[in-house]
Amino acid sequence: MGFILLRLFAAAAAVLCAAALIKRRRVRKAGGFAIAGMVLGLLLFAVSFLPSLLFTDYEGLEPSGEYEVAQARAILVDKDRAEAFESDGSRREVPVYFYYPENGDATEEGFPLVVFSHGAFGYYQSNVSAYLELASHGYVVVSLDHPYHSFFTTDTQGKRITVDPGFMREVMGANQDNMSQEEIWELSRGWLELRTQDMDFVIDSMKDAAEEAGAAGEGSLSSAWFFESDEQERGIRGALAMTDIERIGLMGHSLGGAASVTVGRSREDIGAVADLDGTMLGEETGFENGVCTYFAEPYPVPLLMIDNEEHYRVGREAGALYVNSFILENAVCSVHTYFEGSGHMNFTDLPLFSPPLASLLGTGNVDARECIETMNSIILQFFDYYLKGQGELSIAPKY
């Protein structure tokens, strides 16, 4: 599956920090999130000095579908958008990682597309077992890095880009309950704007590329696509050729889940959205008399919400005062479930390759492998039903 211990060592700090967003400790008038800055510091120390004690020999979960899974990567350069974290006039670059059926015999209409967004300080591989599972069942999955929000990534010059210190301070400030709910709302506008623009750009670039490359994948691609090798370009072209760009699903963990929900409302070409334990910050429209307001219009596309146990119970207690509860109740179509004994990090692969780090960040007593395998099967069932029109929707209210 391409997992190498040294690579995971470098990536673990990225995935682990996805826990920082977005489960709130207190739903109203608090602004706290799931992890304290002190814990983050301890984890960074641990990642630096104790890799041999922290990592297993995890090689990924074996996909259950009929297709072997191929992988390819590229960087998309948005020439219309300046890089907000730089002052040299550089353009925004978005790394994209494709997981798709190898030599897949796509149906006439092709395979549906699912786009994944990682959590705060996250990493594109945070939920790789889910990408592999979907791809093995006939999906093209694109997981993207959000530079300066991800723990690290690389640009077209090969430069290593790490998480922006200012963004980290903002999140840590929210984690420590030093901000009001309204202050966090204002900050989150910028977080979500960056991420939703990245996701929109990736989707639009893929739609343009599908038209430019043609069914055989042999036509020209725009200069927005940067490939580090001819092999990677061939892989991307093959994936584009088998993608049905008219059937698109979105998925994300934590802040990535929030961004996915936001894009799902704003675009008309999204068929389904899966939010993995993220507060739907983009559904908050403002504050009136100190009270948060939400979209009055029902959420327009099928929405799957998977929660950890505490997140679920806090949301239930708050009822319509909590944005997730309000949106799910008023959505055109929604499915809500949670896992008993789970924590925020149980909805990434981190508990399988670094149980100590995952435990420090927030896992429950649920069996980690069983939780992830069950979650992946739920995601597959959800997208099969709404993007492929296959199977039955039989997702239990809890697991």
Side-chain angles (χ1 to χ4, degrees):
M1 300 302 177
F3 278 91
I4 301 174
L5 185 59
L6 183 59
R7 187 176 184 186
L8 288 179
F9 165 51
V15 182
L16 62 86
C17 292
L21 296 171
I22 291 193
K23 181 188 69 64
R24 302 182 181 186
R25 288 193 293 270
R26 296 193 297 275
V27 173
R28 301 294 298 170
K29 300 179 181 179
F33 294 99
I35 180 173
M38 180 179 68
V39 176
L40 176 60
L42 290 172
L43 289 170
L44 292 177
F45 175 86
V47 168
S48 298
F49 294 101
L50 300 174
S52 63
L53 300 178
L54 295 175
F55 298 102
T56 70
D57 58 355
Y58 176 64
E59 292 290 334
L61 298 178
E62 186 68 27
S64 67
E66 62 180 300
Y67 296 105
E68 295 294 323
V69 179
Q71 301 180 31
R73 60 185 180 272
I75 298 176
L76 283 165
V77 182
D78 189 347
K79 297 180 180 179
D80 295 326
R81 187 162 46 126
E83 178 50 74
F85 291 96
E86 299 290 349
S87 58
D88 60 0
S90 57
R91 302 292 93 183
R92 178 70 173 171
E93 297 184 2
V94 185
V96 287
Y97 303 84
F98 283 62
Y99 300 78
Y100 57 98
E102 185 172 20
N103 301 319
D105 182 18
T107 57
E108 186 173 319
E109 65 273 18
F111 297 122
L113 168 68
V114 174
V115 177
F116 181 88
S117 174
H118 60 71
F121 315 150
Y123 181 64
Y124 80 91
Q125 281 190 320
S126 71
N127 287 68
V128 68
S129 67
Y131 322 150
L132 295 170
E133 181 69 2
L134 287 169
S136 76
H137 284 270
Y139 288 86
V140 175
V141 181
V142 176
S143 178
L144 57 98
D145 270 334
H146 297 284
Y148 301 96
H149 276 201
S150 61
F151 195 78
F152 72 88
T153 188
T154 55
D155 66 11
T156 53
Q157 303 303 310
K159 175 185 174 183
R160 179 61 55 89
I161 298 173
T162 57
V163 62
D164 176 67
F167 174 61
M168 182 178 289
R169 285 194 297 270
E170 290 175 354
V171 174
M172 291 302 101
N175 290 336
Q176 295 165 5
D177 289 344
N178 292 333
M179 299 179 187
S180 69
Q181 195 83 337
E182 187 167 1
E183 288 175 315
I184 293 174
W185 178 81
E186 291 174 351
L187 279 177
S188 69
R189 298 312 92 187
W191 301 342
L192 288 172
E193 181 180 17
L194 178 86
R195 286 165 168 266
T196 56
Q197 287 181 352
D198 285 350
M199 295 177 75
D200 281 334
F201 175 58
V202 169
I203 295 169
D204 291 341
S205 296
M206 287 195 64
K207 296 183 81 165
D208 291 344
E211 295 178 0
E212 293 167 354
E218 297 175 353
S220 63
L221 291 176
S222 76
S223 59
W225 291 85
F226 172 84
F227 303 100
E228 62 183 27
S229 68
D230 291 342
E231 179 184 3
Q232 294 300 328
E233 180 174 358
R234 286 192 295 272
I236 295 293
R237 285 179 174 275
L240 289 170
M242 65 178 67
T243 303
D244 178 7
I245 207 66
E246 300 302 318
R247 294 185 290 170
I248 304 174
L250 305 177
M251 176 172 65
H253 176 248
S254 200
L255 183 56
S260 296
V261 171
T262 302
V263 174
R265 180 181 284 277
S266 64
R267 298 183 66 104
E268 296 183 353
D269 54 359
I270 305 302
V273 177
D275 181 357
L276 311 181
D277 210 30
T279 295
M280 303 176 193
L281 293 176
E283 293 296 291
E284 298 174 341
T285 58
F287 274 79
E288 294 181 5
N289 300 319
V291 177
C292 191
T293 57
Y294 313 132
F295 277 106
E297 302 82 4
Y299 194 78
V301 298
L303 176 60
L304 170 65
M305 182 75 227
I306 301 178
D307 279 331
N308 76 66
E309 183 170 2
E310 182 188 2
H311 193 183
Y312 174 83
R313 296 195 185 284
V314 169
R316 292 286 290 181
E317 291 171 4
L321 292 176
Y322 181 44
V323 61
N324 284 22
S325 301
F326 181 87
I327 298 303
L328 289 165
E329 180 66 26
N330 294 283
V332 170
C333 179
S334 67
V335 181
H336 191 191
T337 188
Y338 74 98
F339 283 71
E340 290 185 306
S342 64
H344 192 59
M345 292 310 296
N346 284 118
F347 303 107
T348 72
D349 283 14
L350 184 62
L352 298 186
F353 68 80
S354 184
L357 291 180
S359 179
L360 283 171
L361 281 160
T363 55
N365 56 20
V366 66
D367 181 272
R369 181 176 293 270
E370 182 179 350
C371 179
I372 292 171
E373 288 177 339
T374 303
M375 178 189 71
N376 291 346
S377 70
I378 291 170
I379 293 168
L380 175 62
Q381 180 187 154
F382 177 74
F383 284 132
D384 274 353
Y385 189 81
Y386 286 110
L387 296 184
K388 290 185 176 182
Q390 296 177 358
E392 298 181 357
L393 202 62
S394 57
I395 298 172
K398 69 176 180 179
Y399 290 88

